[in-house]
Each structure stands twice: as structure tokens, then as C-alpha cells.
């Protein structure tokens, strides 16, 4: 697959193993919950960082 450039790979050789997809899904879930609970600024921060 090649060297991972996202910085999230858990592979010892830093090969892309799809970890970025999990991180993206978790961040989206957290952002959604923050927004639903009245924290739109925190939601934006999670989405963009």
C-alpha cells in the first residue's frame, strides 16, 4: 500500500492500514454529538483538527 502520510497508521513499518478511516469516523461521531448537545464551536474544532 505504501507509506502512510496521514500520521495515524498503527503499522510498525508506517504502511497505510486504513487507520485514517477509523479516525475519520470517530471524529465525525464526536462532532455530531457535540453539536447535538449544544457545543457547535467544539464540534467545528473536532471536524477541522
Amino acid at each position: 500500500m505504501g507509506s502512510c502520510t496521514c500520521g495515524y497508521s498503527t503499522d510498525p513499518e508506517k504502511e497505510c492500514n486504513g487507520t485514517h478511516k477509523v479516525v475519520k469516523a470517530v471524529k465525525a461521531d464526536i462532532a455530531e454529538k457535540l453539536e447535538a448537545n449544544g457545543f457547535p464551536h467544539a464540534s467545528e474544532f473536532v471536524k477541522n483538527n
Side-chain angles (χ1 to χ4, degrees):
M1 280 192 172
S3 280
C4 185
T5 58
C6 74
Y8 296 117
S9 181
T10 56
D11 184 80
E13 302 296 320
K14 296 298 177 200
E15 295 294 314
C16 184
N17 63 0
T19 305
H20 61 278
K21 293 177 185 175
V22 175
V23 171
K24 183 177 179 181
V26 169
K27 285 175 71 173
D29 185 52
I30 292 170
E32 181 181 319
K33 288 178 181 176
L34 283 168
E35 185 136 7
N37 286 292
F39 298 99
H41 290 82
S43 176
E44 282 302 312
F45 181 82
V46 170
K47 287 178 190 175
N48 298 317
N49 294 299

